[in-house]
Amino acid sequence: MDKQKFIADETIRVDKFLANKLNENRNQIEQLIKKGLVSINSKPIKKGGVKLKLNDIVEVTLPKTDEITPKEADFEIPILYEDDDLLVINKPPGVVVHPAPSYKEATLVDWLKQKGYSLSTIAGDERFGIVHRIDKDTSGALVIAKNNKTHEFLSKQLKDKSMGRYYLMLLNEPLKEPKCINAPIARNPKNRLKMGIVEGGKDAKTLFVPILENLAAAKLFTGRTHQIRVHLTKLGRYILGDTTYGKKDQKIPRVMLHARELYFTHPNSKKISIIAPVFDDFKKLMPKGIENEKISNLSSRFDPYDGLCNQ
């Protein structure tokens, strides 16, 4: 078991407090509470709604990851960068990042365990080392922490937006010009399987830049569920293969969205930027004659347009 200790610096519900500290959703925190793994001032609690007082000591016991037997993963994951603190992988399309009750196949977490990686436990058994996630059909760069100190360090960057991602996508129609969409996102009240632009939802901001024909790129300023796909609906566009937010009768087998570039600060203070090569299924649908230079350094392509999102 791995025990984490925090001192309350505000009056707040304990589940919300721990969700912020551990970069997890409240459902994950609730599971820890139900298992008797959370205490306040050395007394175990039973409900996440307990209100903390200033300087309360909150302790969380995280189960060891080797307590869960991984499923056999019959796929390989390209590693883009690795050192003693972290690794960055190029997640193939079709691979789910972490286990869920409704998903019975092997996941990225199972692959990591199968390879014998010793990774962080701060996010619990199911999210072994996972700092952030991308959807099953989305491919691309993903950073994974090897220890809790690195996990916390990277999670803070996710919150303060100093960790960033640039995505490539193939659209049903070309974008006419760079565009910033700043619109709140929440669960679609008419369809619980979808997200939507909903008044009172969580702030969400995306910058879209056209590259060539129907190939475009996006920079995330926030990290909401389905953010790129939802914000594209405001532009009258959808990603090829996206039958949730686009046409239902598409023959393309997956959403053509790729996390091309990931940048962050390493715990040793080194600035890191990783570019993830696109997979063959994406490459086959790209505009003919596209030069690698056009997509090799997306960060520089966005620099002239960042001001659009500051207006």
Side-chain angles (χ1 to χ4, degrees), residues 198-304:
V198 180
E199 186 176 350
K202 293 183 178 180
D203 291 340
K205 187 188 296 185
T206 314
L207 178 59
F208 295 97
V209 173
I211 295 180
L212 181 67
E213 298 177 14
N214 70 329
L215 179 66
K219 177 181 180 179
L220 293 179
F221 290 84
T222 52
R224 308 304 176 202
T225 301
H226 296 178
Q227 179 173 321
I228 291 174
R229 297 157 69 186
V230 171
H231 276 177
L232 278 171
T233 64
K234 198 169 176 65
L235 297 174
R237 304 290 191 276
Y238 62 83
I239 300 172
L240 294 181
D242 186 355
T243 57
T244 301
Y245 298 94
K247 287 186 177 181
K248 304 294 183 186
D249 57 350
Q250 298 181 66
K251 295 181 180 179
I252 297 170
R254 65 109 166 177
V255 179
M256 289 296 156
L257 181 63
H258 179 76
R260 172 67 173 180
E261 190 172 336
L262 172 69
Y263 62 89
F264 57 90
T265 301
H266 192 280
N268 66 12
S269 299
K270 180 173 63 176
K271 300 288 184 182
I272 289 183
S273 179
I274 304 290
I275 293 177
V278 296
F279 289 89
D280 287 343
D281 62 343
F282 193 103
K283 191 180 296 183
K284 288 176 183 177
L285 295 175
M286 288 172 65
K288 293 181 180 179
I290 182 77
E291 298 174 6
N292 189 55
E293 288 74 15
K294 287 186 178 291
I295 60 171
S296 62
N297 190 355
L298 291 178
S299 55
S300 64
R301 291 186 65 87
F302 277 84
D303 289 344

Side-chain angles (χ1 to χ4, degrees), residues 1 28 31-32 35 37 62-72 98-101 103-117 120-121 123-129:
M1 295 286 184
Q28 293 289 330
Q31 291 304 312
L32 293 174
K35 294 176 182 177
L37 300 177
L62 301 172
K64 289 184 178 180
T65 56
D66 58 8
E67 293 175 5
I68 292 180
T69 303
K71 298 182 179 69
E72 185 176 354
H98 54 70
Y103 191 74
K104 306 303 180 185
E105 304 299 322
T107 65
L108 171 61
V109 166
D110 292 314
W111 181 84
L112 290 166
K113 291 180 178 181
Q114 186 172 296
K115 292 295 182 181
Y117 280 103
S120 75
T121 58
D125 296 338
E126 296 85 359
R127 300 195 178 192
F128 185 65

